[in-house]
Amino acid sequence: MKLYKRIRLIYLMAGIIITVLIVLGLLYLQKRTEQMQSINAAEHSFVVLSSISNFEKNLIEAESAQRGYLLTADVKFKADFYEKIKAIDSSLVALASVTTSDDVQKIYLLQLQKFIGTRVKLLKENFDVKKDPKMENEALLQGMTAMEHCKNYLMKMRASEEALLKLRLVKKNKYQQINLIFFLAVFITACFICIILIGVFFRELGIRLATQQRLKRKINELTNSKKEMEQVTFAASHDLQEPMRKVRILSSMLAKNLASKTTDADMEVIQRINIIAEKMQDQLNDLVLYTNLLSPVEHLEGINLNELFKDIYDDLLKNDAVDLKIISQLPTINGSLSQLKRMLSNILENAKKYKDNNRMLVITVDYKVINVTESKLLWDTRSVKRYHQITIADNGIGFDPQYNEKIFGLFQRLHTQAEYPGKGIGLSIARQVMSNHNGFIKAAGTKTTGASFLLQFPG
């Protein structure tokens, strides 16, 4: 018991540690997600700053190409200018796409787009006013003003993004440190769990080995018990039968010889001895039959239950006022014909024995396929889930539901011998037959309304 408590304590500790590990793992994943978000945010800031720099570079290069053309009249500069104008447009679109989530940057971008439009327009017009010095100077002055506004808003956008980048880098570094701590905590906890589980494993291995040794001893004991049971069965079928037969013969001879010489009271005693000896011999025969059923079924064959019920009805109930109704077509199952016939005969004989004298006996047999998940009965341990269920119900006197299990006990009876003669072994044999077929039998009774038996065969 102390060992069991220690093992239970270890399991409890392992459960707590695993729970802690799961919680740490979830927290680590959460912090890891936040870290990735901060990394992505920082990378986004770098992208924005790069877009700002790229846009500013294209703008400056377009302005340089325009100046070169105005100074040299070289068409090469003019071609470079228009190439840079296209680059300005594309870089402005790129800058707009990466600042959509920042309201401040969106405001700066709107102002920048206004002055960029003005600046690009003036740059293009400078090519046409080259021969007029007055207009050229005025256009250059307007262009410089627009350029200053562009640079101003580019500087504001850069400053805003650099401030965001600084905060995001701080946040990223913070999450990196936190995640490192979480990783170490999870790693140490996992190592601790592994050590505990290894200890539990070796402890369980030792317990299992000890249990296996005990199991081997129990198997040997059961083997010896089986041999002893076989000897008892042999003795019951041979050694004990012979004295009982002799008692019956001698009591019969004594009754015959003293029929005219003894009193009626003495003759009644002799007759009772004979009846008791006969009953004892019948119980020995039933006990031999029951012990023979303890051995597994060696030969299985397909049994058509429809034909089997018909044969039993012809043998037991045909000449009596009994109505046997088979509601559903019964299946064919693998089993022992002799054992199944004896079991069903016992059940039908019980229905006949405990019939209600005020009404005609009606026995109904129904069939369906069931799927069983679990059972509350200790003896009902199922290795399969699908079963053929045969329900045999009668409208006899029934019995109290509290005896649903008791009636399957060996030599258990609910009525006196005087009320309903019997041996009290029929339903014990039925349960053993079902056990031999890897099946189950259940009883359900109600006083004055009848009884039913559920036979479940693996399907």
Side-chain angles (χ1 to χ4, degrees):
M1 183 61 69
K2 291 182 178 179
L3 181 61
Y4 171 75
K5 289 183 178 179
R6 287 199 299 270
I7 293 175
R8 188 171 62 178
L9 179 61
I10 292 175
Y11 282 142
L12 179 61
M13 292 175 60
I16 294 174
I17 294 173
I18 291 174
T19 303
V20 172
L21 181 61
I22 293 174
V23 172
L24 289 175
L26 293 175
L27 289 174
Y28 174 77
L29 290 176
Q30 180 184 357
K31 297 301 179 183
R32 177 66 178 172
T33 302
E34 293 174 353
Q35 180 187 2
M36 292 303 299
Q37 291 175 349
S38 64
I39 290 174
N40 292 334
E43 290 179 352
H44 180 75
S45 293
F46 282 117
V47 172
V48 173
L49 291 173
S50 176
S51 298
I52 293 172
S53 298
N54 184 50
F55 175 79
E56 188 175 19
K57 179 178 75 67
N58 290 329
L59 182 61
I60 292 172
E61 288 179 353
E63 191 176 47
S64 299
Q66 187 245 17
R67 283 202 195 96
Y69 177 74
L70 293 177
L71 293 174
T72 64
D74 190 346
V75 294
K76 177 183 177 183
F77 287 108
K78 189 174 183 179
D80 289 343
F81 170 78
Y82 283 108
E83 287 295 327
K84 294 303 177 183
I85 292 298
K86 294 179 180 178
I88 288 173
D89 292 337
S90 61
S91 60
L92 185 61
V93 171
L95 180 59
S97 66
V98 297
T99 56
T100 55
S101 59
D102 192 330
D103 293 336
V104 175
Q105 294 288 42
K106 286 168 68 175
I107 293 173
Y108 290 153
L109 181 64
L110 288 175
Q111 296 297 323
L112 177 63
Q113 287 174 335
K114 181 177 70 174
F115 288 109
I116 285 297
T118 301
R119 180 55 178 155
V120 170
K121 178 182 177 183
L122 291 172
L123 287 174
K124 290 180 179 180
E125 289 176 352
N126 284 341
F127 287 101
D128 299 326
V129 299
K130 184 175 184 297
K131 296 180 180 180
D132 189 340
K134 182 178 179 181
M135 293 180 65
E136 181 180 357
N137 291 333
E138 185 178 350
L140 289 173
L141 182 61
Q142 292 178 359
M144 290 175 62
T145 302
M147 187 63 177
E148 288 298 324
H149 284 296
C150 291
K151 289 182 178 179
N152 181 45
Y153 282 109
L154 286 171
M155 181 181 66
K156 289 181 178 180
M157 292 180 71
R158 182 179 284 109
S160 175
E161 200 62 36
E162 286 176 347
L164 283 175
L165 177 61
K166 184 177 180 180
L167 293 174
R168 289 168 177 173
L169 288 175
V170 171
K171 189 175 181 180
K172 178 179 74 70
N173 294 332
K174 173 186 174 182
Y175 280 122
Q176 283 180 336
Q177 294 177 353
I178 292 175
N179 283 343
L180 178 60
I181 295 172
F182 271 111
F183 176 77
L184 291 175
V186 171
F187 177 76
I188 293 172
T189 306
C191 292
F192 187 50
I193 289 176
C194 289
I195 294 173
I196 290 179
L197 292 180
I198 290 173
V200 171
F201 170 77
F202 282 107
R203 182 182 292 274
E204 285 291 325
L205 181 61
I207 294 174
R208 288 178 181 271
L209 290 175
T211 303
Q212 187 176 7
Q213 293 297 324
R214 290 196 297 270
L215 182 60
K216 287 181 178 180
R217 290 195 295 269
K218 291 295 182 181
I219 291 174
N220 292 331
E221 293 175 3
L222 288 174
T223 302
N224 294 332
S225 298
K226 183 181 178 182
K227 292 179 180 179
E228 294 173 358
M229 179 64 71
E230 291 174 352
Q231 294 175 359
V232 171
T233 303
F234 181 82
S237 60
H238 294 83
D239 299 341
L240 296 180
Q241 292 279 16
E242 184 62 24
M244 296 309 303
R245 281 195 296 269
K246 289 182 177 179
V247 168
R248 291 182 60 191
I249 292 172
L250 292 174
S251 64
S252 298
M253 292 174 60
L254 186 62
K256 182 178 179 181
N257 294 334
L258 298 178
S260 60
K261 303 177 182 179
T262 187
T263 64
D264 292 339
D266 292 336
M267 286 299 298
E268 184 180 354
V269 171
I270 296 174
Q271 290 175 357
R272 290 179 63 183
I273 292 173
N274 194 26
I275 292 172
I276 292 172
E278 183 178 359
K279 181 182 176 182
M280 185 64 184
Q281 190 171 16
D282 289 340
Q283 287 183 330
L284 286 174
N285 290 331
D286 289 338
L287 188 59
V288 170
L289 174 63
Y290 181 79
T291 53
N292 288 335
L293 290 175
L294 296 178
S295 300
V297 180
E298 296 181 356
H299 176 65
L300 298 177
E301 58 182 314
I303 308 297
N304 187 319
L305 293 182
N306 292 285
E307 296 179 358
L308 183 57
F309 270 99
K310 183 178 181 301
D311 292 341
I312 296 173
Y313 177 80
D314 291 339
D315 293 341
L316 299 177
L317 308 174
K318 187 175 183 180
N319 298 325
D320 296 294
V322 178
D323 184 10
L324 178 64
K325 295 181 179 179
I326 299 179
I327 299 176
S328 305
Q329 184 71 16
L330 302 181
T332 297
I333 62 173
N334 290 326
S336 167
L337 178 60
S338 61
Q339 290 191 15
L340 291 177
K341 187 172 184 178
R342 175 168 290 277
M343 175 188 67
L344 295 176
S345 298
N346 288 342
I347 294 175
L348 295 182
E349 282 180 341
N350 271 356
K352 177 182 174 182
K353 181 191 301 182
Y354 298 109
K355 69 178 182 177
D356 190 326
N357 294 325
N358 296 322
R359 55 177 176 258
M360 179 181 178
L361 176 61
V362 178
I363 302 174
T364 59
V365 181
D366 197 5
Y367 162 71
K368 65 179 178 180
V369 176
I370 63 170
N371 294 312
V372 179
T373 55
E374 62 177 322
S375 173
K376 296 181 180 179
L377 301 177
L378 295 177
W379 56 268
D380 192 348
T381 55
R382 300 175 183 249
S383 58
V384 296
K385 302 297 182 184
R386 186 175 181 272
Y387 287 84
H388 299 290
Q389 179 170 287
I390 313 296
T391 303
I392 305 173
D394 63 63
N395 63 341
I397 63 172
F399 57 88
D400 195 310
Q402 65 177 317
Y403 300 118
N404 286 350
E405 279 299 307
K406 181 180 178 181
I407 61 176
F408 291 104
L410 196 60
F411 300 120
Q412 293 292 327
R413 295 176 51 83
L414 302 182
H415 305 277
T416 64
Q417 191 72 20
E419 293 175 323
Y420 294 96
K423 304 171 186 176
I425 197 173
L427 293 180
S428 299
I429 291 175
R431 171 162 285 182
Q432 187 58 47
V433 169
M434 292 302 298
S435 177
N436 290 345
H437 289 77
N438 298 317
F440 303 92
I441 181 172
K442 300 178 182 178
T446 306
K447 281 186 175 181
T448 72
T449 60
S452 61
F453 293 89
L454 278 68
L455 312 178
Q456 296 173 347
F457 297 92

